[in-house]
Structures are given as C-alpha cells and as structure tokens.
Amino acid sequence: MTEISEKTKKVLPAVERFILQWGDMGSQWGVNRSVSQIHALLYLSDRPLTADEIAAALGLARSNISNSIRELMAWDLIRRVPIKGDRREHCEAETDLWEIAMRIAAVRKERELDPAVDALRACVAEAEGDPKLHPVAGKRLKDMLAFVETLDRWHAQMLTVPKPKLAALMRLGTRIVSLLPLGKQK
C-alpha cells in the first residue's frame, strides 16, 4: 500500500500533510476535524480500510472512528465494502470529485439553505401582517427571501447539467459574462 506502510501503520508525509489540511479545512466548514481526516485518508487509500487500520493510521480513538464513519456514511461520502475472507467491516471513499462536491452540496443545502428558506418565508408572512413593521425592513426580508430562493433554484438547475458541461462552464469563469445578452451598453 502506498499510503500506509503495512509494517509500521504510519502515514507517509505527503498523505499526512493532506489529511491534516483536509481536517483543518473541514473544521473551518463546521465539520468535525476527525471526520474530515478519516475522509481524507479513505479518499487517498488504494484499498478499503478497517476502523482499526484508520485508528492506527490517524492515532484516533476507535469510538471516534465509529462515530465518524457513521457521519461520513450519512453524507454518502464513504461506503462499507465486503472483503472476501474477512469478517471485519471495511470502508472506502467515493473518489469521483464531482460526486463528492455534489453530495457535500446536497447535504449543506438540506442542512443550511432549506431551513433558511423556510425561516425567511415565515418571517415575510409574519411581516406582511404587521402594520408596525417599517416598510424598509419588510422589503429587505422579501429581497433576502427572493435571493435565497434564487440560490435554491440555481442549485436544482445545476444538478441537471451533465458533469462535462458543468466543468466547461466552470473553466469559462468570468468569460461566461461575454456570452450573456446584457441589453444596451451605456
């Protein structure tokens, strides 16, 4: 195995650096550091790993590994895979980067954007019935709701774009603006 030496169960330096960085990045996004580190290790691994192998490689408690594996499975970023002749559970990560990004986006949308839309709709409905609310506050609530609903629709539309076209769209970057009809230039 190229990532973890079979004899020492030590992680190689470049892999360790990636695991630490991925863990840092995950914690900045609100994901438990060890969950992110386990994902990084499994993503780079050339074979499915057991919880004991993960614990040995990362120096984490076995109970932490079990809880983290459950969370990664809830995000659909890893899966359990059977290994012939071995009764232990092995895990492997999704390695298609587009799939990883889309799955993370889907969970973040469900956890963050969907509740925001619901809360803003309730705020706008309550504001419309409150004669004491200043019109500026009411307009800003409606504007924010419209913005968040636009993000929600955009997300749904992007899910229908084939990956190669989405990649081409991303590579265009700001050049995409030149393709948009902008009306009369001033």
Side-chain angles (χ1 to χ4, degrees):
M1 177 173 187
T2 58
E3 293 76 29
I4 304 172
S5 165
E6 285 295 328
K7 293 178 184 171
T8 64
K9 298 293 182 194
K10 291 284 188 186
V11 176
L12 299 175
V15 172
E16 182 176 40
R17 178 184 296 272
F18 175 75
I19 290 168
L20 293 174
Q21 288 300 125
W22 197 248
D24 258 1
M25 193 167 49
S27 68
Q28 291 174 9
W29 290 348
V31 177
N32 181 293
R33 182 182 310 272
S34 57
V35 170
S36 298
Q37 290 178 344
I38 292 167
H39 180 253
L41 176 67
L42 290 171
Y43 174 75
L44 293 181
S45 181
D46 64 347
R47 65 178 176 83
L49 300 176
T50 66
D52 289 333
E53 290 173 315
I54 295 167
L58 300 178
L60 298 172
R62 179 67 169 75
S63 60
N64 190 359
I65 302 298
S66 296
N67 292 333
S68 298
I69 285 173
R70 276 194 292 280
E71 185 168 344
L72 287 164
M73 289 181 74
W75 283 75
D76 199 22
L77 294 174
I78 68 168
R79 61 192 153 272
R80 294 189 198 282
V81 292
I83 303 294
K84 186 177 179 177
D86 193 340
R87 293 176 48 188
R88 298 174 299 172
E89 291 185 342
H90 293 73
C91 296
E92 68 181 5
E94 173 62 57
T95 57
D96 180 313
L97 292 171
W98 284 103
E99 279 302 314
I100 292 169
M102 304 225 352
R103 291 174 186 183
I104 290 171
V107 172
R108 303 274 322 230
K109 178 193 173 304
E110 182 181 319
R111 291 183 180 183
E112 298 167 25
L113 189 60
D114 292 349
V117 169
D118 293 341
L120 285 165
R121 284 180 180 152
C123 290
V124 167
E126 189 174 340
E128 287 175 345
D130 187 352
K132 295 178 185 175
L133 184 72
H134 195 283
V136 170
K139 180 182 180 331
R140 289 181 182 166
L141 282 171
K142 287 178 184 178
D143 289 348
M144 185 174 286
L145 174 59
F147 177 77
V148 174
E149 286 177 332
T150 299
L151 286 175
D152 191 36
R153 282 190 302 276
W154 177 81
H155 175 265
Q157 291 170 359
M158 289 301 103
L159 292 176
T160 66
V161 177
K163 291 176 194 174
K165 289 192 183 259
L166 192 56
L169 180 65
M170 290 176 68
R171 283 191 300 272
L172 277 173
T174 58
R175 292 177 295 174
I176 191 71
V177 174
S178 65
L179 302 175
L180 298 175
L182 300 175
K184 291 185 178 179
Q185 298 285 329
K186 290 185 179 182

